[in-house]
Amino acid sequence: TPSSVTAVFGKDVVLPCGYQATQGETVLQVTWLKRGDSGKSTELAVLNSEHGVHIQDAYAGRVLRQGQGSLVNGSILLKNAVQADEGAYECHLITFPQGNFESRLALKVLVPPLPILNLGPPLEEGQGRTLAASCTAEGNPVPSITWETEIRGVSNTQESSHSRSASVTSEFYVVPGRSMHGKALTCVVSHPGLQHLKRITHTLSVAYLSDASILGLEAEQDWTEGQEGASLKCLGDGNPPPTYNWSRLNESLPRGVRIKGDTLLFQRPLKTGDKGVYICRVSNSFAAKEVRAVVGIKELPAPQVDVVSISMIGVGIISVVLLSLLILVIILMTCYHKRKTKRITKKYEEELTLTRENSIRRLHSSHSTETRHQIEENLPLRSESRQGSFRGDSLCRDSRQGSFRTDSFRETSLCSVMGEEAEGRSYSTLSTVREIETQTELPPPPPTPEKEKEEEEERNDENNIKQAMTHFVQENGTLRAKPTSNGIYINGRGHLV
């Protein structure tokens, strides 16, 4: 057997015992004994080549034969080793023909530690040396404890021994500061019964509250009246996270101001009444601090009136109004002239139709009663007829140009007659002229109502013809129209113009 065997607490362990037999030797029986502290031995198991295996009641179910077949391998298996299994074991062999043999081994049971990390009191900034955490491990043999961390601290280790195991406790001390908050502190335990190092990690929590400050005035100094989007932000950090409270010294917060977390928002343009001393109070369960900011509001200068700009605007408005009025007047005048022209045209057509009918009626009457006078006075009236033609031409020109008068209704009679065919118009005009002159030379007939009416009309026609003659001149027995800017030839023949 080996001199010693190591077992891990709770694990199975083999207690080896073997015999190297020579030819002809046989192992008849193997007996396992455990020697107590008092020197007394206790039998565990008996392995016999003929009768098999016998296990004592105290180890029933925990001790088994390791091998099969010949007893030259007399090893046994001890299951679920405990600290009470530690001690000295003896293996006794009975052989034939060599006799008896025995050997001893020491069993050592390792107890792996179960480390425990205990936290110290709450860490607060400003404290002196304070226990951050302690780590305890108990096992057999004594475990080893170390610390892994990036923070500065001091460790203190204490050990204590028991009958079958030993424990160790290591304490880690720090001076709390905000820089330690959130850092890792790890307890590392090493032991022969552990295949790997065992680590327990703790994250430090340090209560603190930083100094507060207000952001929002550094760049602009004083604010300006009417400024939009102004705000004040309170800067502060701490553990636990702090809360923020805004107020104004000796006054309430102005209307239109809203608190959103650590920020004071002005949701409207600034007013001069917004100036004052604003206080931000930062607090948590560890401490409370406050900071003040003096807010000044600059008043806007009085607006200066730009006379030139106002004048230009006024001129522009007046120009637009006058242009609108001019366009309106033009539209109204155009409509008025259209209506007036339409009315005059209609009236002219009515008068022209009525005058033409009256002229035709008089001409027919003159031809039937004064044929003799026409023959006698044909030559003298030739010239006058030409004058009448020219006068009628002038009258027609005046009428075509729109220069109507209220006393020239009879003039349209001559124009109407001249509107006929060229030859007919010429002889009709001559007849009308001769008729008027003949009636002037003859003694007046007995007055009758109809005759008086006709005479009055003839006198009017004569006056109209004479008036028309003012537009002509006589040269070598020929009537020629006076030069005008709107003269018109009625007929292209030489004797009628």
Side-chain angles (χ1 to χ4, degrees), residues 38 75 86 108 135 204 210 234 277 315 419 421 448:
S38 60
S75 302
E86 279 189 339
K108 187 175 182 179
C135 187
L204 295 178
S210 64
C234 189
V277 178
V315 170
E421 188 177 357
T448 61

Side-chain angles (χ1 to χ4, degrees), residues 114-287:
L114 296 176
I116 299 175
L117 185 66
N118 298 311
L119 301 181
L123 299 179
E124 296 180 354
E125 188 178 41
Q127 289 178 334
R129 181 177 174 181
T130 306
L131 176 65
S134 63
C135 187
T136 301
E138 182 177 0
N140 186 21
V142 180
S144 174
I145 297 178
T146 59
W147 295 93
E148 290 183 356
T149 183
E150 61 183 52
I151 62 176
R152 297 180 62 180
V154 177
S155 62
N156 184 16
T157 303
Q158 297 178 354
E159 297 182 2
S160 59
S161 298
H162 307 285
S163 59
R164 294 184 179 274
S165 64
S167 65
V168 59
T169 300
S170 179
E171 298 176 338
F172 195 84
Y173 294 87
V174 297
V175 176
R178 68 186 66 182
S179 61
M180 298 180 181
H181 179 69
K183 302 297 183 179
L185 179 63
T186 303
C187 171
V188 181
V189 178
S190 60
H191 188 271
L194 297 175
Q195 295 181 355
H196 305 285
L197 298 177
K198 193 160 189 176
R199 289 178 169 86
I200 302 177
T201 301
H202 168 64
T203 301
L204 295 178
S205 176
V206 180
Y208 70 96
L209 182 65
S210 64
D211 293 333
S213 61
I214 294 179
L215 178 64
L217 293 177
E218 292 79 4
E220 303 173 5
Q221 299 301 323
D222 289 345
W223 288 341
T224 306
E225 182 182 5
Q227 178 180 338
E228 296 184 358
S231 64
L232 295 174
K233 184 174 183 179
C234 189
L235 302 179
D237 185 25
N239 178 45
T243 58
Y244 304 89
N245 184 28
W246 284 94
S247 62
R248 186 162 61 160
L249 184 63
N250 300 328
E251 294 180 272
S252 60
L253 291 176
R255 288 189 174 184
V257 175
R258 183 168 68 94
I259 299 175
K260 185 179 180 181
D262 58 354
T263 305
L264 186 67
L265 299 174
F266 291 82
Q267 297 179 318
R268 52 164 177 75
L270 293 177
K271 302 177 181 179
T272 55
D274 294 334
K275 62 184 178 180
V277 178
Y278 288 84
I279 303 173
C280 174
R281 180 179 174 82
V282 184
S283 62
N284 60 7
S285 59
F286 172 65

